[in-house]
Amino acid sequence: MSSATSYSTNNGLPGAGNGISASGTSPTFSPLYQQIKALITQGLQSGEWKPGDLIPSEVELANRFKVSQGTVRKAIDELSAENLVVRRQGKGTFVATHHEARAQFRFLRLMPDVGNAHYPDNRIIEVKRLRAPAEVARLLDIKSGDSVIFIKRVQSFDGAPTILEELWLPGAIFKGLTAERLIEYKGPMYGLFETEFATHMIRAAERIRAIGANQDVAELLAVALNTPLLSVERISYTYGDKPVEVRRGLYLTDRHHYQNELS
Amino acid sequence: MSSATSYSTNNGLPGAGNGISASGTSPTFSPLYQQIKALITQGLQSGEWKPGDLIPSEVELANRFKVSQGTVRKAIDELSAENLVVRRQGKGTFVATHHEARAQFRFLRLMPDVGNAHYPDNRIIEVKRLRAPAEVARLLDIKSGDSVIFIKRVQSFDGAPTILEELWLPGAIFKGLTAERLIEYKGPMYGLFETEFATHMIRAAERIRAIGANQDVAELLAVALNTPLLSVERISYTYGDKPVEVRRGLYLTDRHHYQNELS
DNA sequence: AAGTGGTCTAGACCACTTT
DNA sequence: AAGTGGTCTAGACCACTTC
């Protein structure tokens, strides 16, 4: 680098000076480490590095992008904070995956009032293709009437039905998802989505309310009519903030609670 | 610094090599920036720098602690990520305060289904001193029977009663808290706690369930008996992870929802 | 112009893992 | 011994705010 180098300079990076082509806004320049971060994210999104993979070392990335190791470090720091990658001292930096003990409860906040958390059993009730209802289409950012896969399941802790869940997935992405595959798969669905449909959930937004169980729900959860339940509506996003799952769960909270940390 | 300096070295810092006196564990050394972070946190906890105050610049702290600016930066980076301080380019670093627009909704996650969030009106129903019930004492880490201040209030959005809340505060800390003061105070209670009782909440843990409104609750929220409500139990902590508030809110969620981001 | 936080570099050494 | 991420330093310059 010449001494006149400005950190706002393009630096010869492919796709640098980012934020230009993405939207029609003025060509503002982001810091170098943000550009590096975007480049690494592209590698994740494109599948160049898949979940569980080791990504190139900081030194190699620094050489490749013609920046200092410190700049690469800051980029990876943020990716790590966002749970897109996991650093392991002495080993390297790995693409985050849902196939890990530490990821099991990242999107499942229902905890037993007493005792330790463990993953629930899974009973698939229904899997079918249907045309997206207007509301679901809007949330998934697809066209109303587009094909979606609908899943209905009940999850049980220690034999006690506790979660009744309905999911809607874009048919275009989850083509070929069958009840059989869901039934034989153990663990969080996001693991299956990641491995078999190359779709890695990185973020979700939930809206929580209290409702009373209707006849159908009461039967499936084996509770009285009008039993108060948590209604948890979730939209999950993959890279690029693209919504790829809509989910509504009804949680029985007589022996469990939804746990949340405010900071 | 001599060239032989190791970052594990005490560095002449008062209280450095921390983690020693705090507990009886083995005298492991933490990284320098963690020690600096602990020193700055002490300044916050002791009241040397109060909420809203400008803390010394990075350069000055670096000189004071005999470390590089980069090390101070990393310490403040973490404090900033934990919302203990707020950085403002060109101005300096300030102690976080609950008297700010950005802090209003940090601990209030109930959002209107349509329209923009705004702060609710506040009706104090009851304030009294009582002896801590066993459960509250346990959660506040005080002795059962110790004095606590009990508060009961209803919060309304656009005139509609929506939140019924009960709070328990350690009497030793909140001595002199009266109904009058609570009634005349506008905005989040944490602002008042911070200003008048030198107690700054930095973190909270919530447990959420669904319950049905009983007679008492139904009247105060103007809903039918057994209306499903969110029950939100919260423990709030100040510096040093010391619990200083127990709260239970009942949220009416027909026009609002509890919003949560999973990442 | 001076002071603040924000970015970037280059180089050193440490802690940990694998070969 | 070699390679990885983790810590620390020193110095330069940029962006923003205030005087």
Side-chain angles (χ1 to χ4, degrees):
Chain A
M1 295 294 98
S2 74
S3 63
T5 299
S6 154
Y7 74 82
S8 295
T9 292
N10 180 299
N11 234 79
L13 288 169
N18 60 352
I20 303 178
S21 49
S23 61
T25 61
S26 62
T28 39
F29 288 86
S30 51
L32 240 191
Y33 76 87
Q34 289 286 2
Q35 300 175 30
I36 304 299
K37 183 183 169 189
L39 288 172
I40 299 174
T41 303
Q42 277 177 30
L44 299 174
Q45 183 165 8
S46 72
E48 179 179 350
W49 306 308
K50 296 186 169 50
D53 281 359
L54 179 66
I55 74 171
S57 74
E58 295 176 355
V59 172
E60 186 182 336
L61 289 172
N63 292 336
R64 181 182 305 188
F65 297 138
K66 302 283 185 259
V67 299
S68 76
Q69 184 183 353
T71 299
V72 171
R73 258 195 89 70
K74 179 140 188 178
I76 295 181
D77 275 347
E78 292 203 351
L79 293 172
S80 176
E82 295 167 15
N83 293 310
L84 295 196
V85 301
V86 176
R87 319 180 89 134
R88 291 185 215 194
Q89 191 176 21
K91 292 181 157 185
T93 301
F94 298 81
V95 182
T97 169
H98 290 281
H99 299 284
E100 279 182 356
R102 50 186 303 291
Q104 304 298 295
F105 295 97
R106 205 172 119 204
F107 292 89
L108 176 58
R109 307 290 275 268
L110 198 67
M111 297 291 169
D113 293 338
V114 296
N116 290 326
H118 58 282
Y119 207 78
D121 286 333
N122 198 3
R123 180 164 75 89
I124 302 293
I125 294 179
E126 187 179 7
V127 178
K128 63 181 177 187
R129 283 189 47 195
L130 44 79
R131 305 211 164 273
E135 173 72 355
V136 169
R138 188 178 62 80
L139 297 174
L140 286 177
D141 197 19
I142 59 178
K143 285 195 290 292
S144 188
D146 278 3
S147 165
V148 294
I149 294 174
F150 171 81
I151 301 169
K152 189 169 180 176
R153 67 166 177 176
V154 171
Q155 293 181 282
S156 300
F157 291 93
D158 301 320
T162 306
I163 299 178
L164 170 59
E165 225 164 24
E166 296 180 322
L167 292 82
W168 292 262
L169 303 165
I173 298 175
F174 292 89
K175 202 179 312 183
L177 179 56
T178 63
E180 290 69 35
R181 195 67 195 87
L182 278 171
I183 289 168
E184 76 187 31
Y185 191 84
K186 299 301 173 194
M189 274 193 206
Y190 291 163
L192 183 146
F193 293 170
E194 163 188 315
T195 308
E196 305 202 359
F197 300 94
T199 299
H200 186 184
M201 308 295 185
I202 58 176
R203 185 177 82 77
E206 294 192 333
R207 292 182 165 210
I208 307 174
R209 347 171 88 84
I211 61 145
N214 64 21
Q215 189 63 48
D216 180 41
V217 171
E219 281 175 21
L220 286 165
L221 290 180
V223 296
L225 198 64
N226 294 325
T227 298
L229 302 172
L230 281 191
S231 160
V232 180
E233 295 171 352
R234 178 193 295 177
I235 306 174
S236 302
Y237 301 83
T238 186
Y239 299 108
D241 260 336
K242 184 183 171 192
V244 283
E245 181 200 62
V246 167
R247 188 186 282 221
R248 189 202 190 195
L250 299 179
Y251 296 2
L252 178 59
T253 55
D254 56 349
R255 282 200 260 279
H256 295 76
H257 60 271
Y258 184 104
Q259 185 157 296
N260 200 28
E261 295 285 327
L262 307 183
S263 54
Chain B
M1 296 291 98
S2 73
S3 62
T5 301
S6 153
Y7 75 82
S8 295
T9 294
N10 180 300
N11 233 78
L13 288 170
N18 61 350
I20 303 177
S21 49
S23 62
T25 61
S26 61
T28 37
F29 288 87
S30 52
L32 241 191
Y33 76 87
Q34 289 286 2
Q35 301 175 30
I36 303 299
K37 183 184 169 188
L39 289 172
I40 298 174
T41 302
Q42 277 177 30
L44 299 174
Q45 183 165 8
S46 72
E48 179 180 347
W49 307 308
K50 296 185 167 50
D53 281 1
L54 181 65
I55 73 172
S57 74
E58 295 175 356
V59 172
E60 186 183 335
L61 289 172
N63 292 337
R64 182 183 303 188
F65 296 139
K66 302 283 183 260
V67 300
S68 75
Q69 184 184 352
T71 299
V72 171
R73 257 196 91 69
K74 180 142 187 174
I76 295 181
D77 275 347
E78 291 202 352
L79 293 172
S80 175
E82 293 167 15
N83 294 311
L84 294 195
V85 300
V86 177
R87 318 181 91 134
R88 290 187 211 169
Q89 190 176 16
K91 291 182 158 184
T93 301
F94 298 80
V95 182
T97 169
H98 290 280
H99 299 284
E100 279 181 355
R102 49 186 304 292
Q104 304 297 296
F105 295 97
R106 205 172 119 205
F107 291 88
L108 175 59
R109 306 290 275 268
L110 199 66
M111 296 292 168
D113 293 339
V114 296
N116 290 327
H118 59 281
Y119 207 76
D121 286 332
N122 198 3
R123 182 164 74 89
I124 303 293
I125 295 179
E126 188 179 7
V127 178
K128 62 181 177 187
R129 283 189 46 195
L130 44 80
R131 303 210 166 274
E135 173 71 357
V136 169
R138 187 177 64 79
L139 296 174
L140 287 177
D141 198 20
I142 59 179
K143 285 196 289 292
S144 187
D146 277 4
S147 165
V148 293
I149 294 174
F150 171 82
I151 301 169
K152 188 169 180 176
R153 67 165 175 176
V154 170
Q155 293 182 281
S156 300
F157 293 93
D158 302 319
T162 306
I163 300 178
L164 170 59
E165 227 166 23
E166 296 180 323
L167 293 81
W168 293 262
L169 303 164
I173 298 176
F174 293 90
K175 203 179 311 182
L177 178 57
T178 64
E180 290 69 34
R181 194 67 196 86
L182 278 170
I183 288 168
E184 76 187 31
Y185 190 85
K186 299 301 172 193
M189 275 193 204
Y190 290 162
L192 183 146
F193 293 170
E194 163 187 314
T195 308
E196 305 201 1
F197 300 94
T199 299
H200 186 183
M201 307 295 187
I202 59 176
R203 185 177 81 77
E206 294 191 332
R207 291 183 166 208
I208 307 174
R209 342 172 96 80
I211 62 145
N214 64 22
Q215 189 64 49
D216 179 41
V217 171
E219 281 174 20
L220 286 165
L221 290 180
V223 296
L225 197 65
N226 294 325
T227 298
L229 302 172
L230 281 192
S231 161
V232 180
E233 296 171 353
R234 178 193 296 178
I235 306 174
S236 301
Y237 301 84
T238 187
Y239 300 109
D241 260 335
K242 183 183 172 191
V244 283
E245 180 199 62
V246 167
R247 187 186 281 221
R248 190 202 189 196
L250 298 179
Y251 296 2
L252 178 60
T253 54
D254 56 348
R255 281 198 261 278
H256 295 75
H257 59 271
Y258 184 104
Q259 185 157 296
N260 200 27
E261 295 284 329
L262 308 182
S263 54

